[in-house]
Structure formats: C-alpha cells, structure tokens
Amino acid sequence: MERKVGTVSRGVRCPIIREGDNLSTIVVNSVLDAAESEGFSLREKDVIALTESIVARAQGNYASVSAIATDVKNKLGGETIGVIFPILSRNRFAICLKGIAMGAKKVVLMLSYPSDEVGNELVSLDQLDEAGINPFSDVLTLERYRELFGENKHPFTGVDYVDYYSSIIKDAGADVEIVFSNQPKTILEYTKNVLTCDIHTRLRTKRILKAAGAENVIGLDDILNTSIDGNGYNEKFGLLGSNKSTEDQIKLFPRECFDLVKDIQKQIKEKTNQHVEVMVYGDGAFKDPVGKIWELADPCVSPAYTEGLEGTPNEVKLKYLADNDFKDLSGDALKEAISERIKHKEDNLVGNMASQGTTPRRLTDLIGSLCDLTSGSGDKGTPVVLIQGYFDNFTN
C-alpha cells in the first residue's frame, strides 16, 4: 500500500533522571520500549533527541548562588557593577541576579526597552509613540520611566519585572539603581565594571564596551566557566542556558555531550541494525506572533549532535514545480514529473528558483524546534523525542 504519512514526532516517556544515571542506556531502552508498546519500528535516519535538562541533571551540573557571587566578586571587584540587558525571566535570570547582587555592593541595572532580547515587553511600541520616546537614543531613569508608563506587568506572568528585579538586588544586600537604555555605552556613566547579560548579541556588546573604555567587561558566559568550590560549570557558556533549580541553586547548560549522542547512536545500531541520528536540544528557535516572545533563551538550540544532522535542508518547492515547470500537467503525470525532479535534484540547490521559499535554517535548529514543541516544558514527562520520516520526501 502506498505510504500516506510523512514526518511523525513522538514524545517518549522515560524515568526521572538523577545525577550519575547511565543516560545513554536509559534513552535507548525508553525508545525501544516505546516502539514495542506502540507497535512501530525504528528506521534508517530516524532522529532521537533528548532535552538538555536531563543531560545536565545526569552530569550533576548544578551550582549555588553563592558560587555565582564568588565568581562575580572575583571578576568585577565587588563594588559597583553594571548589569546590562538581562532577559525578563523568573526561571532564567532572576536566580542568577540573586547571586550576581550578592557579589557586589551596588548594582546599576540597565534594562533594554521596550522589550528584552527575546521579546518580553516592558512597554509597548504604542506607549513609546504616545510618549514621544525614541528607544534608540533616549535614556530613562526609573523616575522618568514610572512618570511616563507607570506600572507594567508582564501579560503572561503578571510580574512587574522592574520592581521584581529591584527587590531581588535589595534582598541580596546590594544597593540598586535602574536605568533604561539600548546603548551599551550608557552604563559607563555609572561604572566601568560591567556584566553584560545579553545572549546572542553578547560579543558585539563586549566589543563596544571595551572600545569605549570599560575597565572590566564580562558576559554571563564568563561566570561559572570554571568550577567554584566544587560547583558545576560550563566552560563554553557559563551561566548562559541555566535554569532555576531551587531558591538557592541553578541547573547549568550541559557540558560536553558529544560522546553521549554517539553512544546512543552506537547502541541503537547494535540493537536494531538501524543507523539513527541523535541530538541534544534546548529551546527551539521560533517566535510567538501573539505574545511576541522569541523562544531561544538558550545560547544555541543543540549543544551536541551526530554528523548526519550537519547542514541545512536541500529541498525543492512542490508548489513552485506544480505552478511553473509542470503547470500543464495533472494527476499521475504531474506526480510522476515531480517525483523524477526530486530524484534527480542537485546536491546544492542554493540559488535555484525551485528551492525558493524552503526554510534556509540549520537542520539542528529546525529539528530542535520540533522537539521543543513536542516535549513541552511542563508535565508531559517526555524529555526524549523520536522523529521519523523527517528526511523523507514525496518519492519515499
């Protein structure tokens, strides 16, 4: 019978992961148990993906807020520090801010506006227009911000992040001053010791600040990039990609895990004789058109993946072929013509009109986004995702 199903994404349940667990064996057994339970078989080029959270948990990659404080104090001097461009998040940044503030006497918190880097709004563009404020040039004090915009609670969380972050800093024992600006150099009017907390623009921000005369400039990726008093760390990303674990502890992004994905691939080959691809995924890379939030708060979608997931899709647009090259065909003749074009397509379709409109993104970003949407971030209990048919096309 002709195949009628394309890509299928399945969330796979597995045991709750704890530090020291043999994660590769647990993942392999969970996928094979799911296949037996649900009546499907693994096939060549299936993708097994596991969320970064269970990888970090198995590694025991946790750190205390006191370790953050020690590292901040050692690297920025422990006096007045500028903390600029953080995202507005109780889970992602608030717990880090607690540790950062514990490592300073005063924090000058500089918030980007009207929204943070990933789209969480402090104020709307309409509010800025009504107030006659230019976010590209205008610098606002806290008093001016409140005078113009009053209290602004996040539509999803109900939190006024200006008050919330201010209270975290005060409760940690530091003085606080809040400034609103989108120009990195603004912070140098207050201090020469700066922690830049942006994620994907951090290298540019560091460069601008150093060129403008900052004495000490570090990013979140420079905090806990080595172990402090035996705490967890991430040599490449530091605090980037971390999440709140408890009120006094964070879970960091996983450390090196290429050996893990290769081991899972190897075990599946040994048990099923199928060559699958394997990846670790974090946040997907997509934007909510209503909430305006860009999901990617992790430094990358996938910190580790097998070789078959390298590159970008190489696909032709079926509707382009149907409307142009084969516009005079229909039925079986059209199907056969398109099938033949797919079978004989070039290895690199960049610039070919037949590929216009296909998604020019890395495979790991596309598949990681699908995995993130499949597993969710709540109580589904499926931190492993099996994707089948992703590399198939109309001819398979």
Side-chain angles (χ1 to χ4, degrees), residues 176-189:
V176 59
E177 184 171 358
I178 296 180
V179 183
F180 301 84
S181 175
N182 293 305
Q183 299 297 326
K185 291 184 286 187
T186 300
I187 196 64
L188 300 181
E189 299 174 16

Side-chain angles (χ1 to χ4, degrees), residues 334-390:
L334 176 59
K335 179 180 178 181
E336 180 64 25
I338 288 179
S339 296
E340 285 301 309
R341 179 64 62 86
I342 293 173
K343 290 177 182 177
H344 298 97
K345 65 184 178 183
E346 300 172 13
D347 292 335
N348 186 348
L349 291 169
V350 174
N352 189 314
M353 280 303 296
S355 70
Q356 298 289 317
T358 57
T359 308
R361 292 167 58 190
R362 294 185 302 179
L363 288 168
T364 50
D365 294 341
L366 290 164
I367 296 171
S369 298
L370 176 57
C371 292
D372 190 22
L373 289 167
T374 300
S375 63
S377 57
D379 57 7
K380 288 183 174 62
T382 55
V384 176
V385 176
L386 173 67
I387 297 175
Q388 298 188 295
Y390 190 86

Side-chain angles (χ1 to χ4, degrees), residues 248-282:
D248 296 296
Q249 183 175 254
I250 61 167
K251 178 198 67 62
L252 293 155
F253 212 50
R255 296 194 297 272
E256 194 281 321
C257 44
F258 281 98
D259 288 344
L260 171 67
V261 297
K262 291 176 182 176
D263 188 37
I264 293 172
Q265 185 183 56
K266 178 184 176 184
Q267 287 194 43
I268 291 292
K269 181 68 174 179
E270 291 172 348
K271 292 177 181 294
T272 69
N273 201 34
Q274 302 297 325
H275 179 86
V276 302
E277 303 299 341
V278 185
M279 66 181 287
V280 176
Y281 68 95

